[in-house]
Amino acid sequence: MKLYYSEYMKNITVSVDDDLYKRSRVWAAQAGSTVSALVRAFLTRLTEEDPEFDRLAERQRALIQQIRAEYPHFSAGDRLTRSAVHERDALR
């Protein structure tokens, strides 16, 4: 599998000591790869093997769909006015 840079890929920074960096570069070169490709493969395997992550991601998707169905005009960016906040507080 060959990956190419695109606007959809994100860069991450990882700090490692010099020895680990050198050994990783040697290992990657011997494998005909790059350190970035090794890290990408590791993270891919890590997230693919986590059923809890998949379950929670599916639950999040379902909740977002439910909110959109029940409240089609809802926006997380909507804010209550100061008076509306105080009116709600008075109802308690």
Side-chain angles (χ1 to χ4, degrees):
M1 171 174 71
K2 190 130 180 134
L3 295 174
Y4 297 96
Y5 174 81
S6 78
E7 62 188 64
Y8 302 108
M9 295 186 83
K10 299 291 183 190
N11 290 325
I12 62 172
T13 301
V14 179
S15 298
V16 297
D17 61 48
D18 286 342
D19 186 53
L20 178 57
Y21 174 74
K22 290 173 187 173
R23 288 184 294 134
S24 300
R25 288 193 37 112
V26 169
W27 200 94
Q30 290 173 343
S33 187
T34 63
V35 174
S36 290
L38 295 176
V39 171
R40 186 182 309 110
F42 170 75
L43 292 174
T44 300
R45 281 193 310 276
L46 181 70
T47 58
E48 287 175 347
E49 295 173 2
D50 188 356
E52 180 70 1
F53 179 88
D54 294 337
R55 184 185 71 77
L56 292 172
E58 180 52 41
R59 183 173 177 204
Q60 178 184 13
R61 282 190 289 276
L63 286 171
I64 289 171
Q65 282 183 324
Q66 180 183 351
I67 290 168
R68 287 181 177 158
E70 292 180 25
Y71 306 98
H73 300 292
F74 173 81
S75 170
D78 291 345
R79 300 287 186 254
L80 293 173
T81 64
R82 181 179 169 85
S83 60
V85 169
H86 289 288
E87 287 173 20
R88 289 180 55 170
D89 194 39
L91 297 175
R92 292 184 188 168

